[in-house]
Every structure is written in C-alpha cells, then in structure tokens.
C-alpha cells in the first residue's frame, strides 16, 4: 500500500484528534491538555518519548531497524507546533473552541494531528527505515520561542546525534487554492522584532499645552516618522515592514497625559536591514523626543530570525510533493511571506525546509478568505491525510537517500 493510501485510511482518526485539539486550545508554553492528547495518540507506538522540562513539549524518537551503509545512522526531524492564540473564535464550526478567549486561529491543531498521523505511518514502516525519526511536538510558537526551549533541551540531538535534516509544515486558511503546497529556497519568512516606546513628558491642562510637555503629539510624529524613515533610508528591493499595533495615551480629552506608549512589530528580510533597523529606530525616536524637550524609553527586542530554507532540502521536499500528489499541487513562491516562525531556530542549526499547505475550504476564494490569526479563519479537514503522508514520506525518502550514501 502507498503511503498516501495508508494516510487516507487514517483520515477519520486524524480528524477526530484535530477536532479534539481545536475544542480545547491552549496558549503559550504550558499546554497540558494538548500534551495529554498527543501522548494518547502515540500510545502503543514504538517511540522513545521525552517530555519537556520548561514546557509541555513532546519529543518522540522512532529507531529504524533497516541496515544502512552510511558512516553514521541518519536522523530526520519533523516538527509540529501545538499552541493556540488568545482569539475569540467566530467561525461557527461544529467543533468550535470551548475555551473562552482562545482559538486555534493559526492551524496548529492541524499540524499536531497530521504529525500524530505520520507517527503511525512511520511506525508501520519501521523495518524500512535505515535511520531514526525525531518528532518535535512544540508548544509556544506564537511569540513564546518554544523552539528555542526545545533546542536548549536537546531536541536536535534526541536521536543520540545531530539530525541530518528537518522539515516543518504550516497550513494557511487563504493565499493558495485548497490543497496546494508552497515553498521556496532561501528566505521563506521574515525576521520578527518587537518595538515598545514610552514617551515621557509632563502632564497639564489641555487648554495650556505650553505649561506642559505633551507626549501625545511627539508620539504621533514618531508613528509617521518611522514610516517615512523606511522609505528614505532602506532599499525598496529589500523591504522592511513596521506596523504600529498599539498607540495609547491619556484618560480625558482636556488632560495632557504624562506619557504615551507605542508598540510595533518589525519585519525584515535580510540580516543587513535587520541590523540597520536596530540602530536607526532608536536614533530617530530619541531625536524626535529631544526636539520636543521630552524623554523617551526605547525597547527594541529581537524575536525570531529569518526562516531560511536550505536549497537542497527544498528541492528534496518539492520532488517528494510532486511524487506523492503531482506537479499541480506544488507552487514555488517567488517572494517570501512577511510572517515569522520560530522554526527558523531549527533551520539555523540544521539544513531543512519549511512548507506551506493551503487548508482553505474547497471552492472558497483563497484570495479573500479570512487569513491565519483571524477569529473567522477556517481550516479544512480535507488536507489532514495529505499532510500526514507528506510528513512521513519526507522522513522515509530522506533517510533512504542518506543511508545509501557512501
């Protein structure tokens, strides 16, 4: 039986797991109910399981029993993130979230269910594996750096040696037609950094601004100046995205507050632009504050680095997708996506690739459907068996190639 046929036979089990995860989303690094569901799905399979110390991660290692000719036994890592988001679900699906204020709005429930399905497919092929497979069930991708936690606790060496390749899969609720896989060599996703600015002035009466030091007008100037700076100081062919999501000040219309607060996300697509932004942004903001006679506190925090796909591993993944599903199911992106991922931490350590999969509803307009992180983002179950098959086949085929190498 082919791996896709076997995966289709598991579809109902994978769907049940996905729905169970979707109904009980958990946010952050501690996901006890999610961990329990994953362990139940792995129960009875021949995996060596290690639980996280600082998180509720699950690392599962399958020891292949086929002979190999390579100097060392190969190892391949497959990763699924498990956490939800602090979003109130509005999709109206029958298996909607039962947890108030939490939702699997980014499809991580699909990733987890697909990797659990792949675990069964791989266990059934253990005697064909001339190497080991590491399954990385990761909490805390949504801003908590769960991958960093797992790397520090040894996930990349869980097989007893550093893995040779790593693959991650992520579903989208829009962008591409239903069932389409997408990837690209090189930079796949942007780097992500966080900017928090507190403008410090002196409060006073709104009718007499000359007797106060107004932080609001300075903050407003900063928001505009940041956008202008990008157009004047950065190459348009190496884009930078800065979005202010928080602008807070004051309590009443006729009171000049003592402070104003700005919070922004910054996305860059090269290490050079990222480093320049880290220098240029504080310089600009301090200059504006000084011009207004104000003080400013600038907190510029680096979050996730660029997600950079290895050229060879990306070609391997593309050939695997084409072999399983045909050429029509694959799109090679020409440009990166401005989202960010902590799978970037894995790809900074070992060669690998990150692959997108459209889970938009069949027949829906993928150009206008609500996108990931929306309370209306809906992900179709129909891609689950395909995702599980791809996870499993990536491990099987890559280990076979590594094991036959001289």
């Amino acid at each position: 039986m082919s791996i896709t046929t076997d995966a289709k036979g598991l579809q109902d089990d994978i769907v049940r797991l996905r729905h169970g995860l979707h109904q009980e989303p958990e946010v952050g690094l501690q996901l006890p109910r999610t961990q329990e569901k994953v362990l139940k799905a792995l129960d009875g399979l021949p995996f060596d399981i290690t639980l996280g110390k600082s998180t509720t991660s699950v690392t599962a290692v399958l020891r292949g029993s086929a002979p190999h000719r390579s100097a060392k036994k190969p190892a391949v890592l497959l990763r699924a993130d498990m956490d939800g988001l602090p979003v109130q679900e509005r999709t109206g699906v029958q298996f909607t979230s039962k947890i108030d204020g939490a939702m699997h709005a980014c499809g991580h429930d699909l990733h987890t269910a697909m990797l659990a399905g792949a675990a069964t497919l791989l266990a059934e092929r253990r005697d064909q594996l001339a190497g080991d497979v590491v399954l990385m069930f990761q909490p805390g991708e949504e801003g908590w750096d769960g991958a960093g936690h797992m790397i520090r606790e040894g996930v990349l060496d869980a097989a007893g040696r550093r893995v040779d390749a790593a693959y991650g899969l992520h579903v989208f609720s829009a962008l591409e037609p239903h069932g389409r896989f997408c990837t690209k060599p090189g930079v796949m996703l942007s780097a992500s950094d966080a900017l928090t600015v507190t403008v410090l002035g002196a409060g006073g009466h709104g009718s007499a601004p000359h007797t106060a030091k107004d932080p609001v007008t300075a903050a407003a100037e900063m928001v505009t100046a940041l956008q202008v700076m990008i157009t004047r100081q950065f190459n348009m062919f190496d884009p930078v995205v800065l979005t202010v999501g928080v602008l807070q000040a004051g309590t009443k219309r006729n009171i000049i507050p003592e402070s104003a607060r700005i919070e922004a996300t910054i996305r860059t697509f090269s290490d050079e632009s990222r480093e320049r932004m880290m220098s240029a942004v504080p310089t600009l903001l301090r200059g504006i504050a000084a011009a207004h006679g104000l003080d400013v506190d600038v907190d510029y925090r680096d979050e996730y680095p660029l997600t950079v796909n290895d050229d060879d591993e990306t070609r391997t993944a593309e050939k695997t997708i084409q072999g399983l599903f045909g050429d029509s199911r694959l799109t090679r992106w020409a440009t990166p996506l401005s989202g960010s991922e902590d799978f970037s931490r894995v790809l900074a350590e070992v060669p690998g690739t990150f692959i997108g999969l459209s889970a938009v509803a069949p027949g829906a307009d993928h150009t206008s459907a609500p996108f990931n992180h929306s309370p209306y983002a809906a992900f179709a179950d129909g891609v689950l068996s395909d995702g599980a098959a791809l996870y499993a086949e990536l491990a099987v085929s890559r280990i076979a190639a590594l094991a036959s190498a001289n």
Side-chain angles (χ1 to χ4, degrees):
M1 299 287 282
S2 71
I3 208 162
T4 52
T5 300
D6 287 351
K8 284 182 171 62
L10 296 174
Q11 172 74 358
D12 290 346
D13 292 337
I14 301 172
V15 169
R16 276 192 293 271
L17 176 57
R18 185 254 161 150
H19 289 187
L21 291 164
H22 192 89
Q23 289 178 312
E24 292 190 283
E26 297 174 290
V27 177
L29 295 170
Q30 303 302 323
L31 320 175
R33 294 187 299 272
T34 303
Q35 184 188 62
E36 181 181 1
K37 291 180 177 67
V38 169
L39 292 174
K40 184 177 180 181
L42 297 177
D43 187 38
L45 299 178
F47 284 85
D48 299 333
I49 293 176
T50 303
L51 304 184
K53 297 176 182 177
S54 60
T55 75
T56 53
S57 65
V58 178
T59 300
V61 180
L62 179 67
R63 308 286 182 183
S65 56
H68 63 92
R69 294 188 297 170
S70 57
K72 65 172 185 174
K73 192 177 183 183
V76 168
L77 181 143
L78 307 173
R79 178 268 204 162
D81 41 7
M82 306 190 295
D83 55 321
L85 283 159
V87 173
Q88 186 66 46
E89 183 162 2
R90 307 287 185 196
T91 61
V93 297
Q94 291 183 340
F95 51 93
T96 194
S97 171
K98 296 178 181 179
I99 308 301
D100 190 47
M103 175 189 173
H104 270 296
C106 203
H108 296 186
D109 51 330
L110 282 82
H111 307 163
T112 304
M114 290 188 294
L115 189 56
T120 296
L121 296 172
L122 290 165
E124 293 171 347
R125 290 160 173 79
R126 186 182 187 185
D127 60 353
Q128 303 172 28
L129 291 171
D132 300 336
V133 184
V134 178
L135 305 186
M136 178 181 177
F137 291 95
Q138 179 212 306
E141 187 278 327
E142 297 288 355
W144 300 84
D145 197 19
H149 283 265
M150 292 192 72
I151 290 171
R152 287 189 290 275
E153 292 184 5
V155 68
L156 300 182
D157 303 292
R161 61 209 170 278
R162 183 58 53 108
V163 295
D164 298 285
Y167 302 101
L169 187 62
H170 203 298
V171 294
F172 301 125
S173 61
L175 294 183
E176 297 283 346
H178 174 82
R180 187 77 58 83
F181 293 92
C182 45
T183 189
K184 69 177 295 293
V187 176
M188 174 79 170
L189 301 172
S190 65
S192 173
D193 297 316
L195 175 67
T196 303
V197 182
T198 305
V199 186
L200 305 168
H205 199 289
S207 66
H210 62 287
T211 66
K213 292 184 178 181
D214 187 357
V216 176
T217 51
E221 184 176 332
M222 289 174 181
V223 171
T224 302
L226 286 166
Q227 304 301 327
V228 174
M229 179 198 72
I230 291 170
T231 68
R232 300 300 96 182
Q233 297 187 33
F234 288 83
N235 187 337
M236 70 178 71
F237 297 107
D238 183 8
V240 174
V241 177
L242 187 152
T243 297
V244 173
V246 175
L247 182 57
Q248 294 176 336
T251 57
K252 196 174 180 182
R253 68 182 184 277
N254 64 346
I255 299 173
I256 295 173
E258 290 190 343
S259 65
R261 182 180 178 86
I262 300 167
E263 294 184 24
T265 185
I266 299 171
R267 309 299 170 109
T268 49
F269 295 88
S270 71
D271 291 332
E272 293 77 16
S273 286
R274 192 181 194 198
E275 291 174 5
R276 285 189 63 196
M277 283 293 286
M278 289 179 180
S279 171
V281 167
T283 298
L284 175 71
L285 298 180
R286 288 172 185 141
I288 293 172
H292 286 266
L294 306 175
D295 293 323
V296 64
D297 178 64
V298 180
D299 180 16
Y300 195 119
R301 289 179 290 111
D302 60 320
E303 292 181 324
Y304 295 160
L306 293 163
T307 300
V308 183
N309 286 345
D310 179 82
D311 289 359
D312 291 339
E313 295 298 344
T314 301
R315 283 191 289 270
T316 294
E318 289 175 331
K319 290 177 181 177
T320 303
I321 292 166
Q322 291 167 323
L324 288 176
F325 308 110
D327 294 351
S328 65
R329 292 282 300 276
L330 174 65
T331 296
R332 174 179 275 203
W333 282 350
T335 58
L337 186 68
S338 56
S340 302
E341 251 284 346
D342 69 355
F343 189 63
S344 57
R345 304 255 189 238
V346 175
L347 295 181
E349 297 289 335
V350 298
T353 197
F354 195 60
I355 304 157
L357 170 58
S358 176
V360 68
D365 185 352
H366 60 277
T367 65
S368 61
F371 191 50
N372 297 33
H373 289 215
S374 166
Y376 299 96
F379 302 86
D381 288 333
V383 302
L384 288 169
S385 64
D386 287 350
L390 179 60
Y391 268 133
E393 183 59 26
L394 284 168
V396 170
S397 59
R398 194 69 184 99
I399 285 174
L402 290 165
S404 62
N406 293 322

